[in-house]
């Protein structure tokens, strides 16, 4: 009887190492009648932690690239870019946020949902981090996103 958001919070608590349990929990979330609608509600939530959790899963649930989605995704990506460029948090936290921003932006590949300049700013902010906290592992995806966004 848990809510979609509660199921995803539980999945987060499991961590990446417990892949079997995580797979079962994510299957339960995927079985909701409207997982994309649930994810959109999470992206609109007033709690930043909930929005970031949703952002990390937009690719898992293959979120539709609608104007409503981009109206929620764009401000969060802008906020993350600002936090990356100002070192607003420890590198490990910023790494997670950068990863969330890439996943949020992924739906904008080959469409004009996000401005190309925003995708480029995200890629540049990630590039500027160098190897700090593993940011070099995100460079390829951020660069690909910047290259393929048409906005």
């Amino acid at each position: 009887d848990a809510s979609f958001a509660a199921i995803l919070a539980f999945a987060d608590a499991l961590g990446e190492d417990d892949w079997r349990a995580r797979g079962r929990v994510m299957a339960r979330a995927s079985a909701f009648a409207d997982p994309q609608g649930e994810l959109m509600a999470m992206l609109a939530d007033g709690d930043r932690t909930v929005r970031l959790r949703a952002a990390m899963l937009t690719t898992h649930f293959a979120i539709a690239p609608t104007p409503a989605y981009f109206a929620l995704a764009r401000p969060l990506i802008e906020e993350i870019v600002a936090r990356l460029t100002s070192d607003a948090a420890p590198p490990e936290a910023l790494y997670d946020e950068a990863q969330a921003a890439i996943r949020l932006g992924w739906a904008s590949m080959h469409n004009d949902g996000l401005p190309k300049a925003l995708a480029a700013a995200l890629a540049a902010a990630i590039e500027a981090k160098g190897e700090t906290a593993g940011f070099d592992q995100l460079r390829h995806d951020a660069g690909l996103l910047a290259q393929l966004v048409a906005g």
Side-chain angles (χ1 to χ4, degrees), residues 49 98 137:
T49 302
Q137 297 172 18

Side-chain angles (χ1 to χ4, degrees), residues 32-151:
F32 268 66
D34 183 14
Q36 287 195 6
E38 297 282 348
L39 202 64
M40 289 287 288
M42 288 178 67
L43 286 170
D45 196 284
D47 184 336
R48 187 169 189 281
T49 302
V50 172
R51 290 193 311 272
L52 286 172
R53 182 175 295 125
M56 288 296 285
L57 294 167
T58 55
T59 54
H60 177 84
F61 290 102
I63 196 80
T66 64
Y69 169 74
F70 291 119
L72 296 171
R74 182 178 178 172
L76 188 52
I77 294 171
E78 289 170 343
E79 177 187 328
I80 291 169
V81 169
R83 288 173 54 82
L84 285 167
T85 56
S86 68
D87 290 325
E92 295 77 16
L94 291 174
Y95 175 90
D96 291 342
E97 291 182 30
Q99 190 174 26
I102 291 168
R103 290 180 185 185
L104 273 172
W106 215 248
S108 66
M109 295 262 244
H110 306 295
N111 68 54
D112 62 356
L114 289 177
K116 193 166 191 66
L118 180 56
L122 176 62
I126 289 170
E127 180 74 29
K129 295 291 181 198
E131 294 182 19
T132 305
F135 275 92
D136 55 326
Q137 297 172 18
L138 298 178
R139 272 189 270 170
H140 175 266
D141 288 348
L144 187 62
L145 179 65
Q147 183 180 23
L148 297 177
V149 165

Side-chain angles (χ1 to χ4, degrees), residues 21-39:
R22 188 171 172 75
R24 284 187 217 117
V25 171
M26 293 307 290
R28 171 67 181 104
S30 296
F32 268 66
D34 183 14
Q36 287 195 6
E38 297 282 348
L39 202 64

Side-chain angles (χ1 to χ4, degrees), residues 11 14-27 60:
L14 291 173
E16 297 295 324
D17 294 338
D18 198 352
W19 58 271
R20 284 186 182 128
R22 188 171 172 75
R24 284 187 217 117
V25 171
M26 293 307 290
H60 177 84

